[in-house]
Amino acid sequence: MTTIAPQGIFADLAADLAADLAAASLALAQRFSDSATAWCIAPAFPPHAQHIAVEFVHPVIVGKRALPAVALTGADLVGQVRVSARRGDVVIAVAAASDPVVAAIMRRAPAWGVSTIWIGNGPRPAPGAADHVLWLDDPDPRLPATGEFVLMYHLLWELTHVCFEHPGLLTNPQEDCTEDVCITCSDEGRLGEVISTAADGTATVRTARATETVIATLAWPLAPGDVVLVHAGTAISKVAEE
């Protein structure tokens, strides 16, 4: 088998980061082809969020499509994403793994039905903290002010458009169960975010499927914004913030 050496800027990427970029770009292209919006956040570096949104919205190359992306900045980013993002959308975050705002959003994203891409450097987020992690292991705190992050999301943009050139890649696999009875689904455990609670021991929660009313006595007390594990119409436990 012939091995082709990376060319140009790709030669500077570690093999695992190149693979992560390819996977994230394919997932992003699939989401965009299914009418998703990308919500871009960077609590400590707002210009990065704005730059990412501009990359996707502004078709700088003739023939490339403009893709829906919005930068969210300012206070209460958790609340902004909560009311903005809809099932099937994507959150792209630029932040350190220790950023509590981004961590809170990533924790709630499965309940919102939103996929996530986390860009950063230094110590990595915990495994599974985001759907896709694009990371530079260099811990230098000045790195976000260099061109390294810009290169990363420029490549994300470019590779996403490469995926659009191959329409057969853009169909997301069917995730919903269409059977009347499904053993796997009957033993489900889904994340939900509490919207409100009632005196009868129930809670209204937002999950990736819909807004649902669940029995909440096992996880009581609950408050709006809490994340819970839902099983068989019951909130069986509260998910810790840490």
Side-chain angles (χ1 to χ4, degrees):
M1 180 181 293
T2 301
T3 301
I4 301 175
Q7 301 293 319
I9 55 178
F10 291 95
D12 295 327
L13 292 178
D16 55 349
L17 177 55
D20 292 340
L21 269 165
S25 300
L26 175 58
L28 192 53
Q30 290 174 336
R31 290 283 181 158
F32 277 132
S33 69
D34 200 27
S35 303
T37 296
W39 302 95
C40 309
I41 59 172
F45 320 106
H48 280 311
Q50 295 162 338
H51 194 162
I52 294 171
V54 167
E55 287 298 321
F56 285 98
V57 169
H58 184 44
V60 294
I61 299 176
V62 174
K64 301 298 182 184
R65 66 179 73 181
L67 299 169
V70 180
L72 298 175
T73 61
D76 190 15
L77 284 176
V78 175
Q80 288 191 58
V81 177
R82 178 184 290 119
V83 300
S84 301
R86 293 293 176 263
R87 179 181 177 179
D89 283 352
V90 182
V91 171
I92 304 176
V94 177
S98 59
D99 190 300
V101 173
V102 170
I105 290 170
M106 296 295 174
R107 189 176 300 111
R108 288 162 172 76
W112 300 338
V114 174
S115 63
T116 51
I117 299 173
W118 196 341
I119 299 171
N121 74 296
R124 289 175 174 260
D131 295 311
H132 300 277
V133 175
L134 306 179
W135 217 257
L136 299 171
D137 292 321
D138 187 343
D140 189 340
R142 298 170 296 179
L143 198 62
T146 70
E148 299 291 331
F149 280 17
V150 176
L151 171 62
M152 192 129 55
Y153 50 73
H154 271 234
L155 290 174
L156 182 66
W157 173 84
E158 240 182 289
L159 291 173
T160 297
H161 281 284
V162 170
C163 293
F164 280 125
E165 297 171 5
H166 304 275
L169 297 175
L170 300 180
T171 301
N172 267 313
Q174 179 59 254
E175 296 179 354
D176 293 335
C177 176
T178 57
E179 300 294 331
D180 291 334
V181 177
C182 175
I183 295 174
T184 299
C185 292
S186 67
D187 195 32
E188 67 184 356
R190 296 176 290 119
L191 287 181
E193 185 186 37
V194 176
I195 298 173
S196 63
T197 60
D200 63 358
T202 63
T204 302
V205 300
R206 176 182 177 180
T207 72
R209 293 181 180 176
T211 299
E212 307 175 34
T213 299
V214 299
I215 300 169
T217 50
L218 290 178
W220 208 263
L222 293 174
D226 284 343
V227 180
V228 294
L229 188 63
V230 176
H231 171 77
T234 303
I236 60 175
S237 66
K238 183 158 54 175
V239 178
E241 285 295 317
E242 296 300 329

